[in-house]
């Protein structure tokens, strides 16, 4: 359900959306922006089989989920079908972007990255997030997705891009492939 606390960072929802299911509010907002869209929504956590059915219909998956478990599920299924995955995350005044194309066996996958996090990770509810950070990360994800789909420029594959909103700066780090990764090794 859309809550008041969502409005500052989830731009598809408005005051009139409070109390609606997020999938319904988002669908309505997207259809209002572009009436030519066909939006399919799922108001449940999809099984591997259900999610795989959706993934194989697409050229790229843009991950804007809010938990590591779902990102790992997307990664595993995208890796299986070699469908590029562009991941983004934001919390507090920080954000991160990573691009996985699965075209080179020496490149890492998202599971190689998530293994570095450990067992504890905070949610936006617990730690908060500044809304412009979400916009910056989302816009950067969109740019990386366009670069991958259009084969234009150099997508940040096998890199972790970290955004620091307090300093208004980016850091880029190489992302190593884990020899123990259950997905790509």
């Amino acid at each position: 359900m859309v809550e008041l606390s969502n409005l500052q960072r989830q731009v598809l929802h408005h005051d009139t959306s409070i109390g609606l299911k997020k999938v319904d509010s988002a669908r309505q907002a997207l259809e209002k922006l572009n009436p030519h869209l066909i939006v399919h929504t799922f108001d449940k956590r999809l099984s591997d089989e259900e999610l795989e059915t959706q993934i194989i219909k697409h050229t790229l998956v843009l991950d804007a989920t809010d938990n590591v478990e779902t990102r790992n599920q997307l990664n595993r299924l995208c890796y299986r079908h070699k469908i590029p995955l562009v991941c983004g995350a934001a919390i507090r005044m920080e954000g991160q972007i990573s691009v996985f194309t699965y075209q080179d066996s020496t490149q890492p996958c998202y599971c190689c990255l998530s293994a570095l996090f450990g067992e504890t990770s905070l949610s936006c509810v617990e730690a908060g997030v500044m809304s412009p950070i979400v916009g910056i990360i989302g816009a950067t994800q969109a740019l990386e997705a366009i670069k991958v789909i259009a084969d234009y420029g150099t997508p940040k594959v096998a890199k972790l891009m970290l955004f620091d909103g307090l300093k208004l700066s980016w850091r880029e780090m190489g992302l190593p492939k884990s020899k123990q990764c259950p997905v790509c090794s």
Side-chain angles (χ1 to χ4, degrees):
M1 296 293 193
V2 177
E3 299 174 9
L4 180 62
S5 65
N6 301 137
L7 301 185
Q8 60 95 16
R9 69 180 184 279
Q10 297 178 4
V11 297
L12 291 177
H13 308 303
H14 305 280
D15 284 340
T16 57
S17 307
I18 294 173
L20 294 177
K21 291 181 178 182
K22 287 182 180 179
V23 296
D24 294 334
S25 174
R27 180 185 44 74
Q28 290 169 10
L30 290 168
E31 288 172 345
K32 191 179 279 188
L33 283 171
N34 183 345
H36 307 289
L37 285 178
I38 298 170
V39 179
H40 301 279
T41 61
F42 302 91
D43 188 22
K44 65 176 189 167
R45 182 171 179 80
L46 298 181
S47 68
D48 278 5
E49 295 78 24
E50 293 167 322
L51 188 55
E52 190 168 33
T53 299
Q54 297 306 312
I55 287 173
I56 62 176
K57 296 177 184 177
H58 295 87
T59 306
L60 179 137
V61 172
L62 202 147
D63 165 46
T65 62
D66 64 356
N67 66 83
V68 174
E69 180 184 351
T70 302
R71 289 186 190 116
N72 277 321
Q73 181 187 27
L74 287 170
N75 174 71
R76 190 174 61 255
L77 298 172
C78 286
Y79 179 83
R80 182 180 298 160
H81 297 283
K82 304 298 187 242
I83 295 176
L85 174 64
V86 179
C87 292
I91 198 154
R92 297 186 189 106
M93 290 287 290
E94 303 166 348
Q96 67 179 39
I97 305 275
S98 44
V99 178
F100 306 97
T101 60
Y102 315 113
Q103 300 304 309
D104 181 345
S105 63
T106 65
Q107 293 175 354
C109 72
Y110 181 80
C111 190
C112 295
L113 172 61
S114 69
L116 302 174
F117 299 155
E119 293 300 314
T120 57
S121 59
L122 295 173
S123 70
C124 290
V125 171
E126 296 165 325
V129 63
M130 187 66 69
S131 60
I133 303 297
V134 177
I136 291 166
I137 296 303
T140 306
Q141 276 184 275
L143 178 60
E144 289 299 297
I146 291 167
K147 288 164 47 180
V148 170
I149 291 170
D151 192 23
Y152 185 76
T154 307
K156 297 294 184 176
V157 177
K159 306 275 187 211
L160 177 61
M161 296 174 25
L162 299 167
F163 180 72
D164 181 336
L166 288 174
K167 296 179 183 174
L168 198 59
S169 64
W170 286 95
R171 262 185 28 216
E172 181 180 305
M173 301 172 18
L175 185 58
K177 180 175 177 129
S178 170
K179 293 178 182 169
Q180 291 80 35
C181 181
V183 176
C184 69
S185 290

